[in-house]
Amino acid sequence: MLAAQLIVSFVGRSLAPLTVLISKDLSLTHAQIGMLPAALFFGQSLAAIPSGILVDRIGSKKQLLIVTIILALGFVMIAKSNAFLLLLVFVVIAGGAYGAMHPTTNRGILYWFPQQKRGIAMGIKQMGITGGSALAAIVLLPLANSIGWRMALILSCGLLLLIGIISSLYYQDPDGKEEKTASPEKISLAKQFRKMLKNKPLLLISISAMGLQGAQLCLTTYIVLFAFEHLSFSLVIAGALLVIAEIGGSVGRVGWGTISDLIMKGKRMPIMYLVTLITAGCALLLTLLQPGTSLLYIMPIIFIFGFCISGYNGVWMNIVTELVPKEESGLATGITITISSLGVMFIPPFFGFLIDKSGAFSAGWGFLVLLMGGIVLLLRSTSVALKNS
């Protein structure tokens, strides 16, 4: 599951490190750059629920192979696109495959691990997302700088197919469990939906994740541009800061999962509060950075920023899957991803719009500070709903 998540994210999150080259090639504004992750997660939102329903019926093994093939084809077409609107269409298609990987892998973790070990396991699996993004910055950005971003993407799709096929061959669904829970006769889909929509904690944590996911994509989409345009670092150093953010996220996904399992004894909500508050502090610090600021001062800020805003996902997924019966985990994951994807569809483009209008990145980072304040209030409501449920 980690290998599959890693290679899917290596390709699926490759647009972030390549934004400088793509925007130069297609003459994009900051707002248009923000539309790239928005389109990716729009596709994710469209596919999340159908893929969640499908994985509850066919199991993770078969769906893993399907997702890999569609994602590879989608990104090959992205690399072939010359018009911005056409590129967005293929990003939406690829985003559907990218989003389908979440319920696919989440279901596998849920069935293979007991609750007291699930936080660490989910964190390790989720580490594949930030790890893949970091590898994209390390490998694809220098490669694209040499051979062009289009050819770099096509080569990465070949690697995706190879590792995806190998992962799907070696991964096995737990004996007897997938077959037993795959039957749709137990409860109708309409009843499942109604049940989910009445699950107040599920809806509130999903709305909270909407803001957190949007903030996460603001960091990964704009940190290279922020370092390159505002802080006047070289493209190599700017890309390295994205790597640092994603390494922080990878460490955070395991770290927060470990804390929630071993220190919090399976309690997840305190982690969500800490992540939100620390994220607000990091965003506030970025509003103060000026050209000439020492790289040694910036690096720990970016690492901690990534540790929090890119590291909480495993804890979030655990909260969601533990709110419903195991046989409904795919659908629950699909619903929470659909809701949270709305944040990624609107927040990064609005972040870029603020930069375009003000001419300063500080407007965007300041917006994230305010956003985190709103999320704290939502998390408080989620905690109350959990106590009453």
Side-chain angles (χ1 to χ4, degrees):
M1 284 302 179
L2 174 61
Q5 192 76 71
L6 186 72
I7 190 61
V8 163
S9 298
F10 175 74
V11 175
R13 300 286 286 273
S14 62
L15 295 178
L18 298 179
T19 49
V20 173
L21 298 175
I22 295 173
S23 63
K24 184 178 180 181
D25 185 17
L26 301 178
S27 302
L28 306 181
T29 66
H30 288 99
Q32 286 176 318
I33 290 169
M35 292 175 68
L36 295 177
L40 185 78
F41 282 81
F42 176 64
Q44 173 176 280
S45 70
L46 294 177
I49 292 177
S51 65
I53 295 170
L54 185 62
V55 76
D56 281 340
R57 282 154 175 74
I58 70 173
S60 297
K61 182 178 177 67
K62 293 178 182 178
Q63 187 151 306
L64 196 158
L65 181 60
I66 295 170
V67 166
T68 299
I69 293 172
I70 296 175
L71 184 68
L73 291 175
F75 268 86
V76 167
M77 296 311 298
I78 289 170
K80 295 289 187 179
S81 302
N82 289 309
F84 178 65
L85 289 178
L86 184 61
L87 183 144
L88 283 181
V89 170
F90 289 120
V91 172
V92 170
I93 295 171
Y98 174 76
M101 181 56 71
H102 297 302
T104 303
T105 53
N106 285 359
R107 184 176 174 84
I109 296 297
L110 186 67
Y111 271 89
W112 276 111
F113 292 90
Q115 182 177 2
Q116 290 302 316
K117 296 182 179 179
R118 202 175 293 148
I120 298 172
M122 188 72 80
I124 291 173
K125 190 274 294 183
Q126 290 290 100
M127 184 176 66
I129 298 175
T130 49
S133 182
L135 279 175
I138 294 171
V139 176
L140 287 185
L141 185 55
L143 181 63
N145 212 18
S146 300
I147 66 174
W149 67 271
R150 299 176 190 276
M151 184 55 66
L153 270 187
I154 291 173
L155 291 176
S156 70
C157 288
L159 185 62
L160 166 65
L161 283 174
L162 176 63
I163 297 179
I165 291 171
I166 292 172
S167 297
S168 67
L169 289 175
Y170 277 90
Y171 175 79
Q172 298 298 325
D173 288 321
D175 291 338
K177 291 184 178 180
E178 293 292 332
E179 291 82 356
K180 185 171 66 176
T181 62
S183 175
E185 287 78 24
K186 290 185 178 181
I187 180 172
S188 71
L189 184 58
K191 287 182 179 179
Q192 283 185 323
F193 267 111
R194 287 197 294 269
K195 182 181 176 182
M196 295 287 179
L197 293 176
K198 292 179 181 179
N199 191 327
K200 189 175 180 181
L202 174 63
L203 295 178
L204 287 172
I205 195 66
S206 300
I207 295 170
S208 301
M210 185 192 304
L212 292 170
Q213 287 285 91
Q216 178 184 334
L217 265 292
C218 287
L219 175 64
T220 56
T221 301
Y222 289 100
I223 189 60
V224 174
L225 289 165
F226 174 67
F228 183 68
E229 294 181 1
H230 177 70
L231 299 179
S232 301
F233 287 124
S234 68
L235 189 58
V236 173
I237 297 298
L241 286 178
L242 174 59
V243 174
I244 290 171
E246 296 292 25
I247 290 174
S250 299
V251 175
R253 293 185 183 213
V254 179
W256 289 124
T258 302
I259 293 169
S260 69
D261 280 353
L262 302 183
I263 298 177
M264 300 295 182
K265 305 299 181 183
K267 295 179 180 178
R268 318 293 185 194
M269 287 304 297
I271 304 298
M272 300 298 289
Y273 281 107
L274 282 173
V275 163
T276 305
L277 292 172
I278 298 173
T279 295
C282 291
L284 182 61
L285 288 175
L286 291 188
T287 65
L288 306 176
L289 296 184
Q290 298 297 325
T293 304
S294 171
L295 183 62
L296 294 177
Y297 176 75
I298 298 170
M299 288 169 61
I301 298 174
I302 299 302
F303 179 86
I304 295 171
F305 203 161
F307 182 86
C308 292
I309 199 60
S310 296
Y312 79 96
N313 299 59
V315 176
W316 161 42
M317 289 298 174
N318 273 320
I319 292 173
V320 168
T321 55
E322 290 168 359
L323 284 171
V324 298
K326 284 185 178 181
E327 61 269 19
E328 298 174 0
S329 61
L331 178 57
T333 300
I335 288 174
T336 195
I337 288 175
T338 298
I339 295 172
S340 67
S341 295
L342 294 174
V344 182
M345 289 161 54
F346 296 108
I347 292 174
F350 184 67
F351 187 100
F353 172 78
L354 291 174
I355 297 170
D356 286 334
K357 287 298 181 181
S358 66
F361 279 88
S362 59
W365 302 125
F367 162 67
L368 293 190
V369 175
L370 297 176
L371 179 63
M372 293 303 108
I375 292 171
V376 169
L377 298 178
L378 279 170
L379 291 175
R380 174 60 182 164
S381 298
T382 306
S383 297
V384 172
L386 284 169
K387 289 180 182 178
N388 295 333
S389 63

